[in-house]
Amino acid sequence: MLPQQRLIDRFCRYVQVGTTANPDTDQYPSSHGQLLLGKMLAEELHAMGAVDAHQDPNGLVWATIPGNVPNTKTILLNAHLDTSPEAPGDSVQPVVMERYTGGDILLANGDSITLGDTPELASLVGHTLVTTDGTTLLGGDDKAGVAAIMEIAQRLLHSPDLPHGPIRVLFTCDEEIGRGTKHFDLAKASATAGYTLDGGGSGSIDVETFSADMATVSFRGRNTHPSVGKGVMINALRAASHFVSLLPRDTLSPESTCDREGFLHPYRLDGNVGNSTVQILLRDFITQNLREHADTIRTAAEKTKQMFPGLEYELSVIEQYRNMGDVLRNHPAAVELAEKAFVQLGRPYKRDIIRGGTDGALMSALGLPTPNLSIGQFNIHSTREFASITMVEQAIEHMICLLGLWATTQRN
Ligand SMILES: [Zn+2]
C-alpha cells in the first residue's frame, strides 16, 4: 500500500474511535474510548517493531524508535488521544475528498463548510480533505497528530537510510480538559526536546502560549422564605451577577481582545440564593500581568460585598499553565531546527503564538522544551471540522527532515 493511502486509512480508522473527553468526571482517562484507541495504537506500534510499546496504567501510550546514528539526542513526539467535548464525537463518519476542486463543501446532513466562514479553503484546492457527515466533529484535533506520529514511526522503522536519533512516542489523554500532562513522566520521557503535533494549517511553529490561571469566587448570602425576605435575605445569585457586571467587558475580555492581549473570562456561574460561584479564566502572554487581573477580580468582589451588606466571599486562584516562550528562548535548538527543516524543504513557515495552552506548555515548564507544530487541522471543536491529509503528509516529511537534523547536527 502506498504510504499516502496508508495514512488516510490510518487517520479514518482512528477518528472512528469515539474519544470525547468528559470534564464532569474525575476518572482518568475521562472516557473509555481513549483506552480503546490507546490499546490499538500500542499494538500497532509493537507490530511495526517499536521498542517497549505499551499503554501505562493511566492510559498513556509510550514507545521508542531506536536511533540509527550513534550518540544522538532523544526527541519526544506527542499528540493527544481525546477529542473536545464541545461537539459530538461518537460514531464519526469520515468522508474523504481527494483533490478538492474549490468552492463550498456540502456535508451529508445538509450543512456546509463555506468559503465565507472558512476562507482558508481557497488555498486548499488540490488537497485531499477529510470531513464528517456534519453531525459530529472529525477529531483531526488531534488524531491528525496521532496518525502523523504513527506514520513517522513506521517510515523510520522501515527506512534504515533515514538518519535519526532515538524517538520517544507519547500519546496523552484528556488534553482538551486540561489534564494532558497530569500523568506525564519527565524521567520516563528522558528526552532533550519535544514536539506536540497539534496545530492548525501548515508551516506554523507555535513558540508561545498564554500563561493561565483560574479564579473561583464563592459568594455566601442568606436564604429565607421569600415572603419574609425583607431586610434579611442576601441573594448570592444577585451578588454574583452584579459581580460579573463589574468585570471589564470592552477591554480585557475575549470578545474585545486579539493577538497578544490578555483577558479575564467569566465562563461559569452556578448558584442559588444562599450560595453562588463564578469561575473566571485569567489569560495573558505576560505572566506577571495575571496578578493584576486577579486584583481586578478582588476589587470587583469587594465592591460587590459593599453593595450587599452581610455578603461574604472567598476568592481562590490556581495556576493552570505558563507561557512556554521563556523556556524555548533558553533552549533555542527545538525551534531553530524546525525552521531549518522548513528551509531545507523549501516551504514557507512562521513563528506563531497560541491564544491558549498546549501539553507542550506544561512539558516545557517541567524542563522539556516542546514547541507545537501545524498538522492540517481546521474548524476544530465543531461539526464543520475537517483535516487536510496533504498537510499531514507535508508535516510528516518536515518531521522526518527535522529528526534528521537533530541526529546530524546535535550530537552528544
Ligand atoms: Zn488538540
Side-chain angles (χ1 to χ4, degrees), residues 80 141-142 175-176 198 377 381:
H80 62 89
D141 175 7
D142 185 23
E175 189 265 1
E176 296 288 0
D198 191 18
Q377 305 167 350
H381 303 192

Side-chain angles (χ1 to χ4, degrees), residues 4 113 120 151 201 218 230 233 279 288 328 380:
Q4 165 109 14
I113 307 170
E120 300 98 312
E151 262 310 301
S218 304
K230 186 172 182 180
M233 181 187 283
Q279 286 178 303
Q288 295 89 302
L328 295 183
I380 57 168

Side-chain angles (χ1 to χ4, degrees), residues 156-167:
L156 292 183
L157 283 161
H158 295 166
S159 315
D161 49 315
L162 297 170
H164 61 88
I167 313 301

Side-chain angles (χ1 to χ4, degrees), residues 72-76 189-194 331 333-334 367-369 406 412:
T72 47
K73 300 186 186 302
T74 301
I75 303 301
L76 177 96
S190 142
T192 298
H331 300 87
L368 179 67
W406 271 103
N412 280 333

